[in-house]
Amino acid sequence: MKIKLFERLSLQQKILSMVIGASTIVFVFAVGNITLKSKKASINDAIKRIDAVAEFHVTEVKNILEKDLSIARTLSSAVQIHKYLPEAKWKELLAKVYEEALTNNPDILSIWDSWELSYIDPNYKKDFGRYECFYWRENGQIKNSTEIGSADGDPADYARIKREKTESIEDPYFYSYTNDTRNQFLMTSIIVSNLVDNRFIGVIGLDIALT
């Protein structure tokens, strides 16, 4: 959620692990019922079933990520309203937007944003430091918190997005919103840069469960 990734897997590895898990069930079922006479035909049939399962899961993951990337882009567009409202008002309005988006999209674990302090505070002169807002589900409720991040410099992943002013689907990682390892999710973060006149002012992020 805070772009501090650990226990990394590549996205390709995650998709492959999902495919292997489902495919193994198909393969074991097929192989367990073969006879010596029909061994070759049964194995070929099992391979075809594995290919079909693999294609289904890859397509399913791709569709989920594309849908949520579209939501992140929409939220990034909504952020532009801040230019026309006092700070307290746009913060209140965006909080309602994020909560509504979480309510309507149960596959999203969390929505968060990050604002460059040098953008929202004219007196702040450092090129790092950001104001962060987090919204997540916990025990059936939507909770939120804010904090100051990058106080001593930008983390590598955030610095990369900031430099490239781009969108990113991060490599899968484990994270717990309660700081309890027993409640960890395997997730990925979909991140869209927020720009004003091509100036990087922060990001919108969605956390998506991969389990």
Coordinates of all heavy atoms in Angstrom, one line a residue, residues 32-74:
G32 N -5.0 -40.0 -12.4 CA -5.4 -41.1 -11.4 C -6.4 -42.1 -12.0 O -6.6 -43.1 -11.4
N33 N -6.9 -41.7 -13.2 CA -8.0 -42.6 -13.8 C -7.5 -43.3 -15.1 O -8.3 -43.9 -15.8 CB -9.2 -41.8 -14.1 CG -10.0 -41.5 -12.8 OD1 -10.7 -42.3 -12.2 ND2 -9.8 -40.3 -12.3
I34 N -6.2 -43.2 -15.3 CA -5.7 -43.8 -16.6 C -5.5 -45.3 -16.4 O -5.2 -45.7 -15.3 CB -4.5 -43.1 -17.1 CG1 -3.3 -43.3 -16.1 CG2 -4.7 -41.6 -17.4 CD1 -2.0 -42.7 -16.6
T35 N -5.5 -46.0 -17.5 CA -5.1 -47.4 -17.5 C -3.9 -47.5 -18.4 O -3.5 -46.6 -19.1 CB -6.2 -48.3 -18.1 OG1 -6.5 -47.9 -19.4 CG2 -7.5 -48.1 -17.3
L36 N -3.2 -48.6 -18.3 CA -2.0 -48.8 -19.1 C -2.3 -48.7 -20.6 O -1.5 -48.1 -21.4 CB -1.4 -50.2 -18.8 CG -0.8 -50.4 -17.4 CD1 -0.3 -51.8 -17.2 CD2 0.4 -49.4 -17.2
K37 N -3.5 -49.2 -21.0 CA -3.8 -49.2 -22.4 C -4.1 -47.8 -22.9 O -3.8 -47.5 -24.1 CB -5.1 -50.1 -22.6 CG -5.4 -50.3 -24.0 CD -6.5 -51.4 -24.2 CE -6.8 -51.7 -25.6 NZ -7.9 -52.7 -25.7
S38 N -4.7 -46.9 -22.0 CA -5.1 -45.6 -22.5 C -4.2 -44.5 -21.9 O -4.6 -43.3 -21.9 CB -6.5 -45.3 -22.1 OG -6.7 -45.4 -20.7
K39 N -3.0 -44.9 -21.5 CA -2.1 -43.9 -20.8 C -1.8 -42.7 -21.7 O -1.9 -41.6 -21.2 CB -0.8 -44.6 -20.4 CG 0.1 -43.7 -19.6 CD 1.4 -44.5 -19.2 CE 2.3 -43.6 -18.4 NZ 3.5 -44.4 -18.0
K40 N -1.4 -42.9 -22.9 CA -1.0 -41.9 -23.8 C -2.1 -40.9 -24.0 O -2.0 -39.7 -24.0 CB -0.4 -42.4 -25.0 CG 0.2 -41.3 -26.0 CD 0.8 -41.9 -27.2 CE 1.4 -40.8 -28.1 NZ 2.0 -41.4 -29.3
A41 N -3.3 -41.5 -24.4 CA -4.5 -40.7 -24.7 C -4.9 -39.8 -23.5 O -5.3 -38.7 -23.6 CB -5.6 -41.6 -25.2
S42 N -4.8 -40.4 -22.3 CA -5.3 -39.7 -21.1 C -4.3 -38.6 -20.7 O -4.8 -37.5 -20.3 CB -5.3 -40.7 -19.9 OG -6.3 -41.7 -20.1
I43 N -3.0 -38.8 -20.9 CA -2.1 -37.7 -20.6 C -2.3 -36.6 -21.6 O -2.2 -35.4 -21.2 CB -0.6 -38.3 -20.7 CG1 -0.4 -39.2 -19.5 CG2 0.4 -37.1 -20.7 CD1 1.0 -39.8 -19.5
N44 N -2.5 -36.9 -22.9 CA -2.7 -35.8 -23.9 C -4.0 -35.1 -23.5 O -4.0 -33.8 -23.7 CB -2.9 -36.5 -25.3 CG -1.5 -36.9 -25.8 OD1 -0.5 -36.5 -25.4 ND2 -1.6 -37.9 -26.8
D45 N -5.0 -35.8 -23.0 CA -6.2 -35.1 -22.6 C -6.0 -34.2 -21.4 O -6.5 -33.1 -21.4 CB -7.3 -36.1 -22.3 CG -8.6 -35.5 -22.0 OD1 -9.2 -34.8 -22.8 OD2 -9.1 -35.7 -20.8
A46 N -5.2 -34.7 -20.5 CA -4.9 -33.9 -19.3 C -4.1 -32.6 -19.7 O -4.4 -31.5 -19.1 CB -4.0 -34.7 -18.3
I47 N -3.2 -32.7 -20.6 CA -2.5 -31.6 -21.1 C -3.4 -30.5 -21.7 O -3.3 -29.3 -21.5 CB -1.4 -32.0 -22.1 CG1 -0.3 -32.8 -21.3 CG2 -0.7 -30.8 -22.8 CD1 0.8 -33.4 -22.3
K48 N -4.4 -31.0 -22.5 CA -5.3 -30.1 -23.1 C -6.2 -29.4 -22.0 O -6.4 -28.2 -22.1 CB -6.3 -30.9 -24.1 CG -5.6 -31.4 -25.3 CD -6.5 -32.1 -26.2 CE -5.8 -32.6 -27.5 NZ -6.8 -33.4 -28.3
R49 N -6.5 -30.1 -21.0 CA -7.3 -29.5 -19.9 C -6.5 -28.5 -19.2 O -7.0 -27.4 -18.8 CB -7.8 -30.6 -18.9 CG -8.8 -31.5 -19.5 CD -9.1 -32.7 -18.5 NE -10.1 -33.6 -19.1 CZ -11.4 -33.5 -18.8 NH1 -11.9 -32.6 -18.1 NH2 -12.2 -34.4 -19.4
I50 N -5.2 -28.8 -18.9 CA -4.3 -27.8 -18.3 C -4.2 -26.5 -19.1 O -4.2 -25.4 -18.6 CB -2.9 -28.4 -18.1 CG1 -3.0 -29.5 -17.0 CG2 -1.9 -27.4 -17.7 CD1 -1.7 -30.3 -16.8
D51 N -4.0 -26.7 -20.4 CA -3.9 -25.5 -21.3 C -5.2 -24.7 -21.2 O -5.1 -23.4 -21.2 CB -3.7 -25.9 -22.7 CG -2.3 -26.5 -23.0 OD1 -1.4 -26.2 -22.1 OD2 -2.1 -27.2 -24.0
A52 N -6.4 -25.3 -21.1 CA -7.6 -24.6 -21.1 C -7.7 -23.9 -19.7 O -8.2 -22.7 -19.7 CB -8.8 -25.6 -21.2
V53 N -7.3 -24.5 -18.6 CA -7.4 -23.9 -17.3 C -6.4 -22.7 -17.3 O -6.8 -21.6 -16.7 CB -7.1 -24.9 -16.2 CG1 -6.9 -24.2 -14.9 CG2 -8.2 -25.9 -16.1
A54 N -5.2 -22.9 -17.8 CA -4.2 -21.8 -17.8 C -4.7 -20.6 -18.6 O -4.6 -19.5 -18.1 CB -2.9 -22.3 -18.5
E55 N -5.3 -20.8 -19.7 CA -5.8 -19.7 -20.5 C -7.0 -19.0 -19.8 O -7.0 -17.7 -19.8 CB -6.3 -20.2 -21.9 CG -6.8 -19.1 -22.8 CD -7.3 -19.6 -24.2 OE1 -7.1 -20.8 -24.4 OE2 -7.8 -18.8 -25.0
F56 N -7.8 -19.7 -19.1 CA -8.9 -19.1 -18.4 C -8.4 -18.2 -17.3 O -8.9 -17.1 -17.1 CB -9.8 -20.2 -17.8 CG -10.8 -19.7 -16.8 CD1 -12.0 -19.1 -17.3 CD2 -10.6 -19.8 -15.5 CE1 -13.0 -18.6 -16.4 CE2 -11.6 -19.3 -14.6 CZ -12.8 -18.7 -15.0
H57 N -7.4 -18.7 -16.5 CA -7.0 -17.9 -15.3 C -6.2 -16.7 -15.8 O -6.3 -15.6 -15.2 CB -6.1 -18.8 -14.4 CG -7.0 -19.7 -13.5 ND1 -7.7 -19.2 -12.5 CD2 -7.2 -21.0 -13.6 CE1 -8.4 -20.2 -11.9 NE2 -8.1 -21.3 -12.5
V58 N -5.4 -16.8 -16.8 CA -4.6 -15.7 -17.3 C -5.6 -14.6 -17.8 O -5.4 -13.4 -17.5 CB -3.7 -16.1 -18.5 CG1 -3.1 -14.8 -19.2 CG2 -2.5 -16.9 -17.9
T59 N -6.6 -15.0 -18.5 CA -7.6 -14.0 -19.0 C -8.4 -13.4 -17.8 O -8.7 -12.2 -17.8 CB -8.6 -14.7 -19.9 OG1 -7.9 -15.3 -21.0 CG2 -9.7 -13.8 -20.4
E60 N -8.7 -14.2 -16.8 CA -9.4 -13.7 -15.6 C -8.6 -12.6 -14.9 O -9.1 -11.5 -14.6 CB -9.8 -14.8 -14.7 CG -10.6 -14.4 -13.5 CD -10.9 -15.6 -12.6 OE1 -10.1 -16.5 -12.4 OE2 -12.1 -15.7 -12.1
V61 N -7.3 -12.9 -14.7 CA -6.5 -11.9 -14.0 C -6.3 -10.7 -14.8 O -6.4 -9.5 -14.3 CB -5.1 -12.5 -13.7 CG1 -4.1 -11.5 -13.2 CG2 -5.2 -13.6 -12.7
K62 N -6.2 -10.8 -16.1 CA -6.0 -9.7 -17.0 C -7.2 -8.8 -17.0 O -7.1 -7.6 -16.9 CB -5.8 -10.2 -18.5 CG -5.6 -9.1 -19.5 CD -5.2 -9.7 -20.9 CE -5.0 -8.6 -21.9 NZ -6.3 -8.0 -22.3
N63 N -8.4 -9.4 -17.0 CA -9.7 -8.6 -17.0 C -9.8 -7.8 -15.7 O -10.3 -6.7 -15.7 CB -10.9 -9.5 -17.2 CG -10.9 -10.1 -18.6 OD1 -10.4 -9.5 -19.6 ND2 -11.7 -11.2 -18.8
I64 N -9.5 -8.5 -14.6 CA -9.6 -7.8 -13.3 C -8.6 -6.6 -13.2 O -9.0 -5.5 -12.8 CB -9.2 -8.8 -12.1 CG1 -10.3 -9.8 -12.0 CG2 -9.1 -8.0 -10.8 CD1 -10.0 -10.9 -11.0
L65 N -7.4 -6.8 -13.7 CA -6.4 -5.7 -13.6 C -6.8 -4.5 -14.6 O -6.7 -3.4 -14.2 CB -5.0 -6.2 -14.0 CG -4.4 -7.2 -13.0 CD1 -3.1 -7.7 -13.4 CD2 -4.3 -6.6 -11.6
E66 N -7.3 -4.9 -15.7 CA -7.8 -3.8 -16.7 C -8.9 -3.0 -16.1 O -9.0 -1.8 -16.2 CB -8.1 -4.4 -18.0 CG -6.9 -4.9 -18.8 CD -7.3 -5.5 -20.2 OE1 -8.5 -5.8 -20.4 OE2 -6.4 -5.6 -21.0
K67 N -9.9 -3.7 -15.4 CA -11.0 -3.0 -14.9 C -10.6 -2.1 -13.8 O -11.0 -0.9 -13.7 CB -12.0 -4.0 -14.3 CG -13.2 -3.4 -13.5 CD -14.1 -4.4 -12.9 CE -13.5 -5.0 -11.6 NZ -13.4 -4.0 -10.5
D68 N -9.7 -2.5 -12.9 CA -9.3 -1.7 -11.8 C -8.3 -0.6 -12.2 O -8.3 0.5 -11.6 CB -8.6 -2.6 -10.7 CG -9.6 -3.5 -10.0 OD1 -10.8 -3.1 -9.9 OD2 -9.2 -4.6 -9.6
L69 N -7.6 -0.8 -13.3 CA -6.8 0.3 -13.8 C -7.7 1.4 -14.3 O -7.4 2.6 -14.2 CB -5.9 -0.2 -15.0 CG -5.0 0.8 -15.7 CD1 -4.1 1.5 -14.7 CD2 -4.2 0.1 -16.8
S70 N -8.8 1.0 -14.9 CA -9.8 2.0 -15.4 C -10.3 2.8 -14.2 O -10.5 4.0 -14.3 CB -10.9 1.3 -16.2 OG -11.9 2.2 -16.6
I71 N -10.6 2.1 -13.1 CA -11.1 2.8 -11.9 C -10.0 3.8 -11.4 O -10.4 4.9 -11.0 CB -11.5 1.8 -10.8 CG1 -12.7 1.0 -11.3 CG2 -11.8 2.5 -9.5 CD1 -13.0 -0.2 -10.4
A72 N -8.8 3.4 -11.4 CA -7.7 4.2 -10.9 C -7.6 5.5 -11.8 O -7.4 6.6 -11.3 CB -6.4 3.5 -10.8
R73 N -7.7 5.3 -13.1 CA -7.6 6.4 -14.0 C -8.8 7.4 -13.7 O -8.6 8.6 -13.8 CB -7.7 6.0 -15.4 CG -6.4 5.3 -15.9 CD -6.6 4.6 -17.2 NE -5.4 4.0 -17.7 CZ -5.3 3.1 -18.7 NH1 -6.5 2.7 -19.3 NH2 -4.2 2.6 -19.1
T74 N -10.0 6.9 -13.5 CA -11.1 7.7 -13.2 C -10.9 8.5 -11.9 O -11.2 9.7 -11.8 CB -12.4 6.8 -13.1 OG1 -12.6 6.1 -14.3 CG2 -13.6 7.7 -12.8

